[in-house]
Amino acid sequence: MNSMANFSNTLYNMGVMNDLARKDTPIHRIHPLAKVLTTFVYLLILVSFDRYEISGLLPLIFYPLLVFLFAELPAGPILKRILFVEPFIIGIGILNPFFDQEIVIIGGIALSRGWITFFSIFIKSGLAVTAGLLLMATTGMDKLAAALRLLKIPRLFVLQLLLTYRYISLLMEEVARTIRAYSLRAPTHKGVHRSAWGSLAGQLLLRTLDRAQRIYQAMCLRGFTGEYHTGEDAHMQWRDFIYVISWSIFFVIIRLYNIPMVIGALLMGVIR
Amino acid sequence: MSHHKIETKSLGYSYPDGHVAIKNISFSIHHGESVGIIGANGAGKSTLLMLLMGILFPNQGEILVGDVHVTKNTLSMIRQRLGMVFQDPDDQLFMTTIYDDVAFGPRNYRLDENEVEQRVMNALETVGISHLKERAPFKLSGGEKRAAAIAAVLSMEPDVLIMDEPTAALDPKSRRRLINLLKGFEHTKIITSHDLDMVLEVCKRIIVIKDGEIAADGNGEDILTNADLLDACGLEIPLALQNCPVCGVNKDKERWVK
Ligand SMILES: Nc1ncnc2c1ncn2[C@@H]1O[C@H](COP(=O)(O)OP(=O)(O)O)[C@@H](O)[C@H]1O
Ligand SMILES: [Mg+2]
């Protein structure tokens, strides 16, 4: 029964992100396209860092931090989602310390290079996920899709994204329903017994496909042709351009200069 | 007005798995008529509606809306005239707010945003949920969702309203509100249901479907008082026309005496 409650929560949480996207703050008012572009530059810069880099990455945290503050987002829902993904990231990076055991000395501490790459991956993916979540929470799926269309991303691809998004919440709804039905008829089992997995999964897939198809049909009946209109003014204004450009400049500076080291050097100079 | 007529001529459809769901159905529905399509579960009601809307295409026969054949090429035109409310509102509502959902159709037809707003507000007011416009669809009650799904279709200003089991899963109050709403519409209406009491109130004409075929087509009250016919089609005389089991008043007699 516990798992059922969890699924219902997840379902509710999907809506939370969209609720957040309807707030009215300076960040929310920025044109969706500007936010998509900024996020894109951010991710690009993030992945361009060397795999052994840690200190140079740290200033990149200012971007999510400021967006988070100015968009007046609650910490709970965002942090919960980041924590939800972290185990996967750790799973990806955890083998590095075993494969790459060469020792380097940093700030007087001996560390294996494997651990450094691990931390680097950990920070990078953490920041990437956060940036993505913030984009979602300040823009919302509908406007995001419209922005992607403005970027001339193929219609089919955007549609796929939208339907996938919708499909995931449907799938979870069906999972919740199926598990409820199962647990009502097998009240003594904890979770779903192995013997029922196959048929439950099959059922689930069929039912979800059925539903996704009906939703798509309903969309078509209301004149949907793959183009997504949100009724927003389509044009970026100068403040939107400034938003993208100033963040991009900031990111590039961070990429070119290792800010923590520069500051460290400056301080050392002053002390001396 | 002949261009609002909906006509089917010996329609036949079988699903890809070979199941024959619709056999030789012909009828003609005129402008302003309200028609109830009744039949047991699996009789083929939903399939028939999907054929009308061009979601499925018949293996046999043809469908005319006005003077236009329903084909892949005429779909866009047909769908501006016919608005369909699905059985499960969750299949229909998928935007993040009710407002955006109701605006979805008009925006797809590239209406000016002022016009869109006007239509959305009109539709929401008609069904009485303008106060919910900023809410997320999944947070509404069953009755509110149904109202939103109807508004989403009304905002497209169709000539014909097609509804699949609109009172299914509604509580008595929501059901009553919906019936009053439907009675107020001047659209041509095609409504499937097993809620025969609702059909009796809303629809003058009734088409009974049994195993994919038309078993009867005629005046609502005549059909709904024909116990043998209804029984043969897996249905029952609506409560409103049954003899009252508590007070023993014989509605049949009462009706005929009058
Ligand atoms: N996708 C499908 N594939 C095969 N058979 C179907 C499909 N959908 C419905 N049917 C069958 O077609 C018949 C008519 O179904 P339907 O039109 O949904 O009935 P109703 O809406 O009157 O309850 C039923 O026997 C049903 O099992
Ligand atoms: Mg049906």
Side-chain angles (χ1 to χ4, degrees), chain B residues 27 35-39 45 48-49 190-193 199 207 209:
Chain B
F27 58 74
V35 180
I37 295 181
I38 63 175
K45 305 180 295 291
L48 180 60
L49 295 190
I190 302 176
I191 301 174
T192 75
S193 193
V199 173
I207 296 175
I209 295 194

Side-chain angles (χ1 to χ4, degrees), chain B residues 172-186:
Chain B
K173 274 226 175 81
S174 319
R175 175 177 169 277
R176 174 48 50 195
R177 218 174 292 133
L178 177 68
I179 291 177
N180 291 338
L181 183 67
L182 292 181
K183 286 200 317 206
F185 287 153
E186 284 169 9

